[in-house]
Amino acid sequence: MNTPKLKNRWLIAASAVGIHISIGSVYAYSVMTNPVKEIFDVEGSVIKWAFKIAILLLGLSAALLGRWVEKVGPKISGTTAGILYGIGILGSGLAVEIESLTLFYLFYGVIGGIGLGIGYITPVSTLVKWFPDRRGLATGMAIMGFGFAALIFGPAMAKLFEIVGVSNAFYILGVIYMILILTSSRYIERPPEGYLPAGFKEGEGKIIEEDISNITANEALKSTRFYYIWIMMFINIACGIAIISAASPMMQEKLNYSPMEAAAIVGFIGVFNGLGRIIWSSLSDYLGRANTFIIFFAFQILAFYFLPKIGVESIFLIVLFTVITMYGGGFATLPAFLGDLFGTKQLGAIHGMVLAAWALAGVIGPTVYDMVKEQTGSLDTTLVIFAGLFVVALIVSIMMKISIHKSKNLKLQKISMAT
């Protein structure tokens, strides 16, 4: 009997990027706001609700359907994501054509949002299993695709709106996304049980550090470490989204930028968001996941406290862009960290539950920023509050580091007693 040929793990990673680049086009939503609002004859804020619903459903579906994704495998869940996201975009074109705002919310926000959530977590646990030696790099590549998608599809959308009109642009994009996701999902699959890359098999010299545990999603929910990482992600996302949403007015206020100059810098935020995903997640393979988050929080305490006080343009932008890399880096380092902590048994389900923090933080972060800024009228006070949140995150990340250290010591003691 012939042994089935082992797939190329780098092509598996490329397939994961294919899925994430397609669904990450949601980050180019601002490009469609003006053309769509003119058709519906409403304010931009009304159209933005479709995006908010999509992000909310991304977090909720990732949390609720994570166990299903783990059970059926990446082929079926990836195919489902492609169909749902494709229908969401195609249906948005229909909603625009018949000028139904309700249908637009339903297709783009609800159906597309569920496709987003399933598509986001589909490749992650598979990649962690294919790259036990370089988890951070592998998950960073895929999630970088999500961050960079707006740079690819934003200009493409704008051009299509101009050439073929809004509804036809949605039809074309819906077909492109569906083909990309479905094609990628055909190749992606889990590695065989006990898979190890070349050089790491018994007798070949290299050793992969064992995960702290290998437990189910229900067991993870009973562990303190799950809540540590949930709090860490919630704070990193809430503060990051707040600064992204406020970046343009902040630069106009502090650096006297014109609205056009500030908009150009906001474009660069997308670049650094994407770069941070691959750079920090890759570095976490060497620095250690807990140490990477400690660096994030220690730097951002200082960054958020001093940012409103910085009057030198170059230093202001360096600090701002570094914060953005850490926002993106948190998303990309997360799956590898969860693999280290809880193993790969139900990683997709656990990842989905932690992503519920994204749904919540996406609403709370900007809302707190707007409320405090409105009441105090001071950017300094507003960012000091966020710096205080990072102090909490730093304390939690240090507690996580201590917890991991204790677990490793306990394991070593058991091994030495057994021998």
Side-chain angles (χ1 to χ4, degrees):
M1 195 172 110
N2 290 332
T3 311
K5 192 184 173 193
L6 198 65
K7 286 193 172 178
N8 184 314
R9 66 179 184 157
W10 294 100
L11 289 178
I12 296 276
S15 302
V17 173
I19 294 171
H20 269 244
I21 272 185
S22 304
I23 61 172
S25 60
V26 71
Y27 269 176
Y29 188 85
S30 58
V31 175
M32 66 177 78
T33 304
N34 285 341
V36 172
K37 79 171 186 181
E38 283 166 19
I39 286 167
F40 287 116
D41 194 25
V42 292
E43 290 297 316
S45 57
V46 175
I47 296 301
K48 281 176 189 169
W49 269 104
F51 174 76
K52 289 179 185 176
I53 294 165
I55 295 298
L56 179 67
L57 265 292
L58 187 164
L60 292 178
S61 59
L64 297 173
L65 297 172
R67 284 180 176 84
W68 175 80
V69 167
E70 205 65 61
K71 184 182 173 185
V72 299
K75 259 193 180 61
I76 293 173
S77 63
T79 301
T80 307
I83 292 166
L84 286 173
Y85 192 59
I87 288 171
I89 303 301
L90 291 168
S92 300
L94 176 66
V96 167
E97 196 167 319
I98 64 173
E99 295 184 25
S100 168
L101 190 57
T102 308
L103 268 187
F104 188 73
Y105 287 157
L106 173 69
F107 278 111
Y108 194 95
V110 179
I111 298 171
I114 295 168
L116 276 171
I118 297 170
Y120 191 92
I121 59 173
T122 281
V124 169
S125 64
T126 304
L127 276 180
V128 168
K129 288 166 190 166
W130 277 103
F131 289 85
D133 53 327
R134 300 164 90 177
R135 283 177 172 174
L137 170 68
T139 56
M141 281 191 297
I143 292 171
M144 175 188 69
F146 194 90
F148 272 139
L151 295 174
I152 298 163
F153 284 110
M157 269 181 209
K159 200 73 185 162
L160 282 170
F161 288 148
E162 200 181 292
I163 297 168
V164 299
V166 179
S167 58
N168 287 334
F170 275 113
Y171 296 144
I172 292 165
L173 290 166
V175 170
I176 291 169
Y177 298 148
M178 199 181 278
I179 290 169
L180 250 174
I181 299 171
L182 293 180
T183 307
S184 299
S185 300
R186 289 299 304 153
Y187 191 80
I188 198 166
E189 66 178 35
R190 293 172 181 145
E193 197 66 40
Y195 164 80
L196 287 170
F200 289 87
K201 293 174 183 115
E202 204 173 331
E204 290 182 346
K206 294 180 184 175
I207 297 167
I208 289 165
E209 193 175 334
E210 208 178 315
D211 295 330
I212 291 166
S213 59
N214 193 25
I215 57 178
T216 64
N218 284 341
E219 288 168 328
L221 274 173
K222 293 171 188 169
S223 74
T224 315
R225 289 189 200 110
F226 176 85
Y227 298 97
Y228 284 164
I229 202 159
W230 203 96
I231 292 164
M232 286 156 60
M233 285 304 297
F234 174 79
I235 292 173
N236 201 52
I237 296 167
C239 298
I241 286 179
I243 204 107
I244 287 169
S245 67
S248 178
M250 189 165 64
M251 284 182 284
Q252 290 174 56
E253 183 183 326
K254 289 293 167 184
L255 301 179
N256 296 319
Y257 275 17
S258 69
M260 282 302 291
E261 287 170 330
I265 297 296
V266 168
F268 279 107
I269 282 174
V271 176
F272 284 94
N273 184 358
L275 285 174
R277 290 166 190 248
I278 188 70
I279 291 167
W280 284 111
S281 59
S282 301
L283 279 173
S284 77
D285 285 334
Y286 304 97
L287 297 171
R289 250 63 81 172
N291 291 337
T292 303
F293 275 93
I294 288 169
I295 292 166
F296 285 174
F297 301 139
F299 178 84
Q300 288 181 102
I301 290 167
L302 299 172
F304 274 68
Y305 183 80
F306 286 109
L307 198 62
K309 300 169 177 62
I310 298 170
V312 181
E313 182 185 23
S314 57
I315 297 172
F316 183 97
L317 293 177
I318 288 166
V319 172
L320 176 66
F321 289 147
T322 306
V323 165
I324 299 302
T325 68
M326 291 174 171
Y327 167 75
F331 283 111
T333 308
L334 172 65
F337 201 1
L338 292 174
D340 297 346
L341 295 173
F342 306 116
T344 56
K345 191 184 282 186
Q346 288 193 342
L347 181 57
I350 297 166
H351 186 212
M353 291 189 302
V354 176
L355 285 181
W358 189 359
L360 202 58
V363 177
I364 291 175
T367 306
V368 169
Y369 181 95
D370 291 341
M371 278 171 57
V372 177
K373 181 78 164 60
E374 204 175 290
Q375 286 179 15
T376 64
S378 164
L379 185 64
D380 294 53
T381 308
T382 309
L383 292 190
V384 162
I385 287 169
F386 284 104
L389 280 175
F390 277 120
V391 172
V392 174
L394 179 63
I395 292 165
V396 173
S397 65
I398 291 167
M399 288 163 70
M400 173 73 91
K401 169 89 176 168
I402 293 165
S403 169
I404 291 167
H405 189 64
K406 279 182 182 171
S407 283
K408 285 182 177 176
N409 282 346
L410 200 64
K411 235 177 198 181
L412 286 170
Q413 282 171 18
K414 283 179 181 174
I415 292 165
S416 62
M417 282 168 71
T419 53

